[in-house]
Amino acid sequence: MYQDEAPPQTGVIARLTRRVIRYRKAVLLVGSALAIAAGYGARHLGLSTDYRAFFSEDNPDLLAYQELEEIYSRNDNVLFVIRPKTGDVFAPGTLEAIRDLTEDSWQIPHSTRVDALSNFQHTWADGDELIVEDLVPDGDLTPEVIERIRSVAMGEPLLVGRLVAEDGLSAGVNVRIALPGDSKEELPATVEAVRRLEREYRERYPGLEIESTGVALLNMAFADAPAKDAPVVMPAMFVALLLAVVAMLQSTGGVVGTLVVILLSTLTAVGIAGHLGVSLDPTSAAAPVIILTMAVADSVHIVLSYFQSRRDGMDKNDAIVDAMVINGQPVFLTSLTTAIGFLTLNFSDSPPFRLLGNLTAFGVGAAWLYSMTVLPAVLSMTSGRVPAQDRPGLLQQGVECLALVVTSRSRPILVGAVAVVAVLVGLVPTLRINDQYFEYFDHSLPIRGGTEFAMEHLTGPYITSFSLESGESQGVSDPEFLGVVQDFTEWLEARPAVAHVNSFSHTMKRLNMNMHGDDPAFFRQPDTRNLGAQYLLLYEMSLPYGLDVNDQINVDKSALRLDVTYGDVDVATIEEETLAAEAWLREHGTPSMGTARGTGPAMMFAKITRRNIASMILGTGFGFLLISGILVFALRSVRLGIISLVPNVVPTLMAFGVWALLVGEVGFAVSVIAGLSIGIIVDDTVHFLSKYNRARRRMSARDAVDYAFEHVGPALVATTVIVAVGFTMLGLSSFRVTAYMGGLTALTVICALAVDFLLLPALLIAFDGERASSPARGREPSPASRPVVAGAD
């Protein structure tokens, strides 16, 4: 063991700690009262119920989609998918069920339109008269009527692939939802009515499979996920942390003190969020779990130092002061740099990640405050007994053996570590950016099963919409414009990824045929603009209330909406297809169509990942530079500050390389991992470099590395295990974004420990070894004989 420097017992931290010990009951009472007062605000916390919360108000993709919805209508919906267990949908009982469900769906709160096979507005000619009627009429469904329904439905492009499956074995009832936005209870009430209707029809028609999906249910799932996770993830996390802390500390006093700190820190941060009136989402709802994890690190370092001082013969109170002084600077630095790391999430283009970063940064600050005040107060109120350690434990022995290997073989380790890092970093460019937002939820939530059922048996959930401008009022009736729209529609329908195209050009062709005695030869666009306008006016006047064309044509009839539905493809493919469609419009469309852009939730989520990555590269870079500057100032060494960049940057890149091997793609969740993990992985670096720099003043680089391993190595292993376990518990979340975020962060933390134990020591020996020092080896003296050296941390 190496001779250590005794920290000064008369500094600011020492005086503060002695006051804390003297007034420990008051400190504990005030700290608890502060946390309870803050925590009282938790009752005001709400849950976000809109996927649009993932996009900032000035997000250009969100603004484009909102503009389209203002012109036409909001496309929030519920889709019921009906599939007979035997036979097809063109059976009397199934058609009656579809007809009844269509009627009952109008009673769902805030429903504004219901489209189904049964109420599809079929048009046909009776002499010179245009007949517009429901495809499935009221009354008895005779074989002749059913055969007519089948013939029309399976030949109608607006139905096949959208409201009836191509094989005729499934059908859909699509309910459009428009929430007024006056109350937070609107969506839950609507979804409950949907679920109730679904249960009722399953009981009434046991021969039918009925599932539901849609944007309204997606929105509700964003609130259901954190509500479902709360009684699972948080308790599992707490139990895992408790077991890890007990295993590492093996002391009632240390465990109690640590638990008090993490509970008060979490309660404070969550309560403040409630006082501010924020609404949590599945992403920001992970903040309490992360705070629980991060709050452990400070306490573990302090408690382990306290144990060592007690074993060295100090009395309880002096040992507390000793531990606080030894760890005062590193704990402050790690808390500061961790907070900075989380605050870099404010560069994210997604508000939930900003909220996650801010809440966690505040929690880390609260953890530092309680660690410096409440923790020593609790320790001073315990018996003072510490775990016996007559000989080094397995962890200590393992760390010391590793130190011996690293210091004796630093050059080969440096070469090997650089090679491994290079290989893993080289894999990062192979990652594919992708997201399927309906797959954010696991199968424990009904939205996932309903969506997969719909994709398998009827239609896909991902829609891209185009607003095609004619350039003039009433221009949608112009034959040239309609002809280009028809060409665009046919081009889209030929694309393998496209499941359905909802285009008004189909309707105009059918109306032209109807107005020519249903002659199939006239199934084409009207010959003149006036004819097209007359057909459209006649059709609109014949439509029943609630089934108008305002969702497809704008008010002055200068533009129409075209919806492209995709099958079971990823959003990266949807983005590629949309870009190809935009290119087609620029090359083949009319001049006014050339500026059309595909928009919708799928495109929004596809681009938010890329936007997040771009913004977080900037934010993370800024965070790295700021943290390195702080370390240069704190360690008073430009050299160490520059060297610290390596263990702060490399672990994240390594983790992404491993992720490329295991998963191969990144999505919304992992686009912020670099910013999320920077504040975590820097903790180990700060503690290792603090101990190294302290010893380097009086011994060689190799001996200083050995010293750092001996005095902080076990604590780094302990905190890494605890943090990794904590983030791994996020993998229990029913929200895949949170689960992936937890898993990749845990992987990054493990990579960080490997870098700090292998690459960092080798770098220090290689690039800091030539600096002069005063070696001082020997047995560590008793505490009473240790010299007091000014400037010790």
Side-chain angles (χ1 to χ4, degrees):
M1 299 179 68
Y2 296 102
Q3 182 177 344
D4 200 1
E5 299 174 348
Q9 297 283 334
T10 57
V12 174
I13 295 178
R15 291 196 299 270
L16 174 63
T17 304
R18 292 194 183 279
R19 287 181 180 272
V20 167
I21 294 172
R22 181 178 179 182
Y23 301 105
R24 52 185 177 269
K25 292 183 180 179
V27 169
L28 183 58
L29 181 62
V30 171
S32 301
L34 177 65
I36 292 172
Y40 189 66
R43 73 189 195 281
H44 299 302
L45 283 175
L47 292 174
S48 175
T49 56
D50 193 341
Y51 73 88
R52 292 170 177 81
F54 282 88
F55 305 89
S56 57
E57 294 181 355
D58 59 350
N59 182 287
D61 303 305
L62 174 62
L63 293 175
Y65 189 50
Q66 289 176 334
E67 181 180 356
L68 180 134
E69 289 182 321
E70 289 175 1
I71 295 174
Y72 302 99
S73 62
R74 186 158 176 166
N75 211 25
D76 291 0
N77 73 309
V78 172
L79 175 66
F80 293 101
V81 180
I82 301 100
R83 182 177 178 85
K85 295 179 180 178
T86 58
D88 59 25
V89 298
F90 300 104
T94 303
L95 289 175
E96 289 173 2
I98 295 172
R99 184 175 59 193
D100 293 344
L101 180 58
T102 302
E103 289 297 320
D104 289 341
S105 293
W106 285 101
Q107 305 306 314
I108 295 174
H110 312 298
S111 62
T112 59
R113 182 184 178 109
V114 182
D115 290 291
L117 174 69
S118 59
N119 72 342
F120 175 73
Q121 296 304 290
H122 173 52
T123 60
W124 56 284
D126 184 8
D128 294 333
E129 186 178 358
L130 177 67
I131 306 299
V132 181
E133 63 181 4
D134 290 349
L135 180 57
V136 179
D138 293 333
D140 294 336
L141 296 175
T142 64
E144 293 77 13
V145 171
I146 290 177
E147 187 55 37
R148 181 183 66 84
I149 294 171
R150 182 197 301 271
S151 175
V152 171
M154 299 309 294
E156 176 53 60
L158 294 180
L159 286 177
V160 177
R162 177 170 171 256
L163 294 175
V164 63
E166 293 181 1
D167 57 9
L169 300 180
S170 304
V173 175
N174 190 67
V175 186
R176 183 164 297 157
I177 304 296
L179 301 179
D182 299 328
S183 169
K184 293 182 178 180
E185 301 304 317
E186 293 170 353
L187 182 61
T190 298
V191 172
E192 175 55 31
V194 170
R195 299 297 183 206
R196 186 169 56 250
L197 195 59
E198 191 175 31
R199 291 191 299 269
E200 177 186 334
Y201 270 76
R202 284 175 179 169
E203 294 175 1
R204 188 190 304 179
Y205 298 95
L208 301 180
E209 293 181 272
I210 302 177
E211 299 286 347
S212 58
T213 183
V215 175
L217 300 184
L218 172 71
N219 285 334
M220 193 66 225
F222 280 109
D224 289 340
K228 180 181 181 297
D229 290 347
V232 177
V233 178
M234 184 69 78
M237 168 72 172
F238 187 79
V239 171
L241 283 180
L242 178 61
L243 294 176
V245 169
V246 169
M248 295 296 176
L249 301 183
Q250 300 179 21
S251 165
T252 302
V255 171
V256 170
T258 301
L259 292 182
V260 169
V261 168
I262 64 177
L263 290 176
L264 294 183
S265 304
T266 306
L267 185 61
T268 300
V270 173
I272 292 297
H275 283 301
L276 294 176
V278 302
S279 292
L280 297 179
D281 52 82
T283 299
S284 57
V289 178
I290 297 176
I291 294 170
L292 274 174
T293 304
M294 300 311 302
V296 171
D298 293 348
S299 300
V300 167
H301 282 284
I302 292 172
V303 171
L304 289 179
S305 292
Y306 164 71
F307 290 166
Q308 186 60 51
S309 297
R310 289 287 285 147
R311 294 190 190 102
D312 288 342
M314 286 188 178
D315 64 34
K316 181 173 66 175
N317 289 346
D318 285 342
I320 294 173
V321 175
D322 196 53
M324 296 300 295
V325 174
I326 288 174
N327 291 280
Q329 185 195 51
V331 166
F332 174 75
L333 287 177
T334 56
S335 298
L336 177 61
T337 53
T338 298
I340 289 173
F342 281 109
L343 289 174
T344 62
L345 293 183
N346 282 284
F347 284 84
S348 171
D349 197 56
S350 181
F353 286 111
R354 298 178 205 162
L355 179 58
L356 173 66
N358 293 333
L359 285 181
T360 308
F362 190 88
V364 168
W368 171 80
L369 176 64
Y370 292 129
S371 295
M372 299 300 292
T373 55
V374 173
L375 179 59
V378 173
L379 290 176
S380 69
M381 298 171 69
T382 61
S383 64
R385 290 193 298 271
V386 300
Q389 193 176 31
D390 298 329
R391 55 189 175 84
L394 291 177
L395 179 58
Q396 184 73 39
Q397 289 179 355
V399 169
E400 291 179 359
C401 288
L402 179 61
L404 179 62
V405 172
V406 171
T407 54
S408 62
R409 300 180 178 273
S410 61
R411 188 178 297 274
I413 287 176
L414 178 60
V415 174
V418 170
V420 171
V421 169
V423 170
L424 291 178
V425 172
L427 292 172
V428 174
T430 66
L431 283 168
R432 174 180 169 85
I433 297 176
N434 179 40
D435 257 319
Q436 289 177 292
Y437 50 88
F438 273 96
E439 294 185 5
Y440 284 170
F441 310 94
D442 69 20
H443 290 88
S444 64
L445 294 171
I447 184 67
R448 181 67 180 273
T451 301
E452 291 182 347
F453 187 84
M455 284 194 295
E456 180 181 358
H457 299 298
L458 183 60
T459 188
Y462 305 111
I463 298 176
T464 299
S465 299
F466 294 84
S467 181
L468 302 179
E469 295 282 346
S470 67
E472 57 182 329
S473 179
Q474 307 297 321
V476 297
S477 302
D478 181 67
E480 180 183 355
F481 172 79
L482 288 172
V484 175
V485 172
Q486 182 61 33
D487 291 342
F488 183 47
T489 300
E490 292 173 355
W491 179 84
L492 287 168
E493 290 174 335
R495 307 288 289 184
V498 174
H500 183 264
V501 181
N502 190 33
S503 173
F504 196 74
S505 62
H506 287 313
T507 301
M508 292 299 290
K509 288 168 63 178
R510 190 177 71 247
L511 289 173
N512 189 54
M513 181 184 69
N514 297 149
M515 299 310 294
H516 288 83
D518 286 337
D519 184 350
F522 287 90
F523 188 68
R524 62 174 188 259
Q525 301 301 333
D527 292 332
T528 67
R529 179 169 177 169
N530 287 336
L531 278 177
Q534 292 175 22
Y535 297 163
L536 177 57
L537 177 60
L538 183 61
Y539 177 65
E540 286 186 289
M541 294 176 61
S542 303
L543 291 173
Y545 176 79
L547 295 178
D548 53 44
V549 297
N550 291 338
D551 63 328
Q552 299 179 71
I553 301 177
N554 66 348
V555 175
D556 68 348
K557 295 181 172 51
S558 63
L560 59 81
R561 174 177 181 164
L562 185 145
D563 292 329
V564 184
T565 302
Y566 296 92
D568 188 11
V569 298
D570 54 50
V571 293
T573 300
I574 294 174
E575 184 178 16
E576 294 170 1
E577 290 290 320
T578 302
L579 292 175
E582 292 172 353
W584 190 97
L585 288 172
R586 288 192 297 271
E587 182 177 354
H588 303 287
T590 64
S592 56
M593 288 184 189
T595 58
R597 293 292 179 267
T599 185
M603 285 296 291
M604 290 159 59
F605 276 100
K607 292 184 177 181
I608 191 65
T609 301
R610 187 172 287 107
R611 292 173 64 87
N612 251 3
I613 291 174
S615 61
M616 287 310 302
I617 288 176
L618 176 63
T620 305
F622 176 78
F624 279 135
L625 292 177
L626 183 58
I627 289 174
S628 295
I630 291 173
L631 293 182
V632 167
F633 177 80
L635 300 175
R636 295 178 176 84
S637 172
V638 175
R639 186 188 309 229
L640 293 183
I642 294 174
I643 291 176
S644 72
L645 282 172
V646 175
N648 290 344
V649 174
V650 166
T652 304
L653 296 176
M654 291 176 62
F656 275 110
V658 175
W659 195 262
L661 282 174
L662 299 177
V663 180
E665 63 183 28
V666 295
F668 192 39
V670 296
S671 63
V672 296
I673 290 299
L676 181 69
S677 60
I678 176 179
I680 302 172
I681 61 181
V682 76
D683 285 10
D684 290 355
T685 305
V686 168
H687 281 287
F688 194 95
L689 286 179
S690 294
K691 294 298 184 292
Y692 170 85
N693 193 44
R694 182 180 183 190
R696 187 68 178 91
R697 303 188 189 108
R698 52 196 173 82
M699 56 181 72
S700 68
R702 291 182 186 275
D703 289 343
V705 166
D706 204 359
Y707 172 93
F709 266 107
E710 179 182 343
H711 286 78
V712 81
L716 294 187
V717 174
T719 55
T720 297
V721 169
I722 291 172
V723 171
V725 168
F727 276 95
T728 301
M729 289 299 102
L730 289 178
L732 298 175
S733 173
S734 59
F735 189 59
R736 193 180 70 170
V737 173
T738 302
Y740 276 14
M741 183 174 64
L744 189 51
T745 303
L747 179 60
T748 304
V749 170
I750 294 172
C751 290
L753 182 66
V755 169
D756 283 320
F757 274 7
L758 297 173
L759 182 57
L760 176 59
L763 286 173
L764 291 171
I765 293 172
F767 295 101
D768 196 46
E770 66 272 17
R771 182 161 58 90
S773 61
S774 301
R777 300 193 65 165
R779 298 292 299 175
E780 185 173 349
S782 64
S785 65
R786 290 190 300 183
V788 176
V789 180
D793 49 13

